[in-house]
Amino acid sequence: HPNHFLGSPLVRAGFESLFWSILLAWCDAAPWARTLVHVPRLTEDGPLHRALVDVARMRGGEAEVVHREERALLESNLSPEDYWDAAVRAKKRKELRRQANRLAEQGAVQFRRWQPGDAIDPWIDAFLDLEARGWKGRAKSALASQSDTQAWFRAILTAAGDAGRLDMRALDLDDRPLAMLVNFLCPPGGFSFKTAFDEDYARFSPGVLLQQANLDLLGDPQIDWIDSCAAPGHPMIDSVWRERRALVWVNVPLSAASDRLRFAILTKTERLWRRWKGAAAPENEVESPS
């Protein structure tokens, strides 16, 4: 799914090993399953990853990490103000204050936050319109570019609001949103799912100004961390959120002898390819961790 940012299955705490044992045994018995189970985007060294490693070893194999990425995470005991001062360089903070002052000269600036009981549809409409007017709209990758994706977005935001899990924010200029973001809060953590900004006002950095306001999540006693769901090395959020979440893509062999043989061949080939890729990379190119 184009909006799939985390691969962790929903497993009750304490049942991780039992879950993987049943799943892998089911795949062993399935006539359509061959060679391996591939699990993308597990939190590295989290309960599910550790349990998968243990179960694979109990079955006589290894859980092979075939790719690894890091992305921005917000996790700190600092206050929002202290975190901002520690994370953002003084020169950049000064520039953002200047941009905020210049933006205020354009009209009435307001930060808003969706509240339970408020109508959700106007917020959803505003976000879809804002995103579609930017580069994602031109690339046909905006949520509103496909009717099924738009319907899906409406459904999950409505459901999150009904469940008390939705945190949606906007930075407005004269009652017109210049930046918006969507968080899903699932104590003890949360996920910063989507963000959009008006590119006509990019010189004022509205997205960064909204992220500064978003740091008040650090003061929420129920929330210990927020996953950015952003691409690795994202230039905006990486400059504001300084912690990192590591994700791993994992292959686990099935149990039949033919499956183990194919898995061994594929694993060896993949390692040789990575070694060759690293040796062939130019000196000024950093190989992505995998």
Side-chain angles (χ1 to χ4, degrees):
H1 194 281
N3 292 285
H4 170 219
F5 302 123
L6 188 66
S8 302
L10 298 178
V11 179
R12 184 181 294 276
F15 287 77
E16 295 88 356
S17 293
L18 179 62
F19 166 78
W20 290 123
S21 297
I22 293 174
L23 176 65
L24 291 168
W26 177 68
C27 290
D28 285 336
W32 48 264
R34 296 287 186 274
T35 310
L36 60 88
V37 171
H38 177 68
V39 187
R41 296 184 176 90
L42 286 180
T43 301
E44 185 178 40
D45 202 35
L48 282 162
H49 181 211
R50 292 196 302 269
L52 183 57
V53 170
D54 291 342
V55 169
R57 287 175 179 166
M58 286 189 294
R59 288 163 47 90
E62 290 290 335
E64 181 79 12
V65 173
V66 295
H67 185 68
R68 183 181 184 275
E69 290 182 355
E70 289 187 352
R71 66 189 183 203
L73 180 78
L74 181 64
E75 185 177 24
S76 175
N77 293 323
L78 294 175
S79 69
E81 295 77 14
D82 289 343
Y83 187 92
W84 179 256
D85 290 345
V88 182
R89 302 187 316 273
K91 183 177 180 181
K92 180 63 175 178
R93 297 199 306 272
K94 181 179 179 180
E95 173 63 14
L96 287 167
R97 287 194 297 270
R98 185 193 69 80
Q99 290 173 319
N101 291 334
R102 297 292 82 79
L103 181 61
E105 294 172 357
Q106 306 295 311
V109 176
Q110 178 187 12
F111 290 94
R112 290 185 297 130
R113 188 175 183 179
W114 180 83
Q115 299 295 329
D118 293 348
I120 188 61
D121 284 341
W123 283 79
I124 296 174
D125 292 340
F127 187 96
L128 291 170
D129 176 69
L130 185 63
E131 185 188 56
R133 287 190 284 110
W135 68 268
K136 289 185 178 180
R138 295 189 294 274
K140 304 300 182 184
S141 63
L143 292 160
S145 298
Q146 304 291 333
S147 59
D148 56 344
T149 306
Q150 180 177 166
W152 168 81
F153 183 70
R154 290 184 181 278
I156 63 169
L157 260 65
T158 301
D162 291 343
R165 297 288 184 254
L166 180 63
D167 177 44
M168 197 168 185
R169 300 159 182 253
L171 166 60
D172 292 350
L173 176 65
D174 292 334
D175 299 322
R176 184 176 73 259
L178 299 188
M180 300 185 73
L181 62 81
V182 178
N183 298 319
F184 294 131
L185 302 182
C186 316
F191 299 87
S192 188
F193 179 57
K194 288 287 181 181
T195 185
F197 71 95
D198 191 328
E199 294 176 5
D200 291 339
Y201 289 82
R203 64 189 183 279
F204 300 109
S205 298
V208 181
L209 295 175
L210 184 56
Q211 285 294 346
Q212 182 180 5
N214 193 40
L215 289 177
D216 66 9
L217 289 170
L218 290 170
D220 188 331
Q222 296 189 77
I223 301 299
D224 296 334
W225 52 263
I226 304 287
D227 186 339
S228 69
C229 300
H234 192 284
M236 187 274 283
I237 199 64
D238 276 20
S239 68
V240 180
W241 292 10
R242 291 309 175 97
E243 296 74 47
R244 297 292 178 262
R245 163 171 274 186
L247 302 176
V248 289
W249 282 243
V250 183
N251 288 344
V252 180
L254 297 181
S255 62
S258 58
D259 292 324
R260 295 293 175 90
L261 177 60
R262 285 192 297 269
F263 185 86
I265 294 171
L266 286 170
T267 299
K268 183 176 181 179
T269 303
E270 193 269 342
R271 287 175 177 171
L272 289 171
W273 179 83
R274 275 192 285 164
R275 191 178 305 165
W276 174 84
K277 182 182 176 184
E283 289 184 3
N284 60 347
E285 178 183 325
V286 178
E287 184 186 4
S288 354
S290 56

